[in-house]
Amino acid sequence: MSASAGDGLRYAYNTNGMTSHRLPDALALLADTGYDGVALTLDVAHHDPFAPRLAARTASLARRLDRLGLDSTVETGARFLLDPRRKHEPTLVTRDPAGRARRLAFLRLCVDIAADLGSEAVSFWAGAPAPGTDTSSGGTAWGHLVDGVRAVVAYATERGVVAAFEPEPGMLVEDCAGWSRLAARVPGLRLALDTGHCLVSGGLAPHRAVLNHARDLGAVAVEDMPRGRHEHRAPGEGDMDLPMVLGALRAVRYGGLVSLELSRDAHRADVLVPGALRALRHAERAGSDGAPDASAAHGVAGSPEGVR
């Protein structure tokens, strides 16, 4: 999706930062505040994909989103949905084939939900390899990952859903260079860019990641972070130059939802939901006049950044 140069960005808020709200209440708050959409993390608190009557609940949710005028993306990063005793496990790089199969089945289910909701994308990540796993480019972990991601992209393509892969600090693919290496082996894969992660993993500056990967973007998140620490923070509470990042998104005419993921701040969602939107709009206005030159992205977006 692209926007005309005069259009503003479209903002969403991740439901993993609203876990003290029932989902209907959370959606109503977002709509009443003025958000354009929701980043829906499928989890035990919100639209549990393993609870009964999933198809009926999804149809009802689609109608609710339509009534509220909210677009959506589907997020798959629930901490303990698949294993109540191990965070984020199993993953696409888990040693146990049954564990990898369970993650893949879950991701396919998320694609189905996204298709039924008319969501803009499904975002997913690699996972962290177990200690001792061969993580070289031709090693076991990368082999498992490529196989799993190819399967997700193929299924998403069948369902008409964008499959966007997110580099996560501490996981097998933790930066844009790793995404480029993966995308070279998985045609059709899009990038779920969390610009705050650029401050943690290094490599590209957040706004430069937007410019270099303008043609690859399938989903975007812009929460703040302190440099070198993977801590999701509200706008203005970290080290990201938010006006520059939002200016870059406008410069490349990004029209998808731009979300905030504040999963550790559900206790203050009543304050952050409206406050963050005000901060985003203020930063967007501040960055619109000094936005980076979008021509810097032409010819390099989607090209490998090199392997490291």
Side-chain angles (χ1 to χ4, degrees):
M1 184 183 298
S2 62
S4 66
D7 291 340
L9 297 172
R10 302 166 54 245
Y11 295 111
Y13 201 95
N14 195 314
T15 55
N16 66 7
M18 304 182 75
T19 52
S20 293
H21 286 72
R22 299 179 184 87
L23 184 56
D25 294 334
L27 297 176
L29 177 58
L30 296 181
D32 291 346
T33 302
Y35 283 87
D36 301 284
V38 58
L40 176 65
T41 294
L42 302 176
D43 204 347
V44 293
H46 293 147
H47 207 66
D48 184 345
F50 301 123
R53 302 180 61 253
L54 176 61
R57 289 187 292 112
T58 301
S60 176
L61 176 57
R63 292 191 294 270
R64 184 181 298 273
L65 291 172
D66 184 62
R67 288 197 304 270
L68 293 172
L70 292 173
D71 295 319
S72 64
T73 60
V74 168
E75 300 282 339
T76 63
R79 294 185 178 102
F80 298 104
L81 181 64
L82 299 186
D83 188 332
R85 295 172 182 256
R86 296 183 301 160
K87 180 181 177 182
H88 289 157
E89 289 289 337
T91 74
L92 293 176
V93 298
T94 295
R95 287 175 176 170
D96 177 24
R100 296 195 305 274
R102 189 177 183 198
R103 172 62 61 171
L104 181 56
F106 166 63
L107 293 175
R108 285 174 170 149
L109 181 58
C110 293
V111 168
D112 287 334
I113 293 170
D116 292 342
L117 293 178
S119 299
E120 295 181 5
V122 169
S123 173
F124 65 111
W125 35 242
T133 304
D134 182 357
T135 58
S136 65
S137 59
T140 303
W142 269 92
H144 292 330
L145 180 63
V146 170
D147 288 345
V149 174
R150 282 176 177 165
V152 173
V153 170
Y155 189 70
T157 300
E158 290 178 8
R159 295 302 318 267
V161 173
V162 171
F165 185 94
E166 181 179 4
E168 278 276 352
M171 294 191 177
L172 182 62
V173 175
E174 61 180 354
D175 57 20
C176 289
W179 178 88
S180 293
R181 187 161 60 238
L182 178 62
R185 299 171 67 177
V186 186
L189 184 64
R190 302 288 288 278
L191 172 63
L193 177 64
D194 188 320
T195 57
H197 290 167
C198 297
L199 295 175
V200 182
S201 57
L204 293 175
H207 77 282
R208 180 54 56 185
V210 170
L211 295 175
N212 283 18
H213 289 280
R215 298 172 188 169
D216 305 319
L217 297 176
V220 171
V222 295
E223 64 277 349
D224 215 337
M225 289 190 195
R227 193 173 302 278
R229 299 207 305 275
H230 191 188
E231 299 175 3
H232 290 231
R233 296 185 180 180
E237 296 181 0
D239 296 319
M240 190 162 64
D241 187 335
L242 191 56
M244 183 168 285
V245 170
L246 299 181
L249 287 167
R250 285 180 61 99
V252 302
R253 300 167 62 87
Y254 180 70
L257 290 171
V258 177
S259 68
L260 285 174
E261 183 183 353
L262 302 174
S263 60
R264 299 178 187 273
D265 288 296
H267 64 287
R268 55 177 183 147
D270 60 322
V271 175
L272 282 186
V273 167
L277 185 58
R278 288 193 300 269
L280 288 169
R281 287 174 171 165
H282 176 78
E284 183 180 352
R285 289 192 297 271
S288 60
D289 293 334
D293 184 0
S295 64
H298 297 339
V300 298
S303 62
E305 300 173 74
V307 177
R308 64 183 182 90

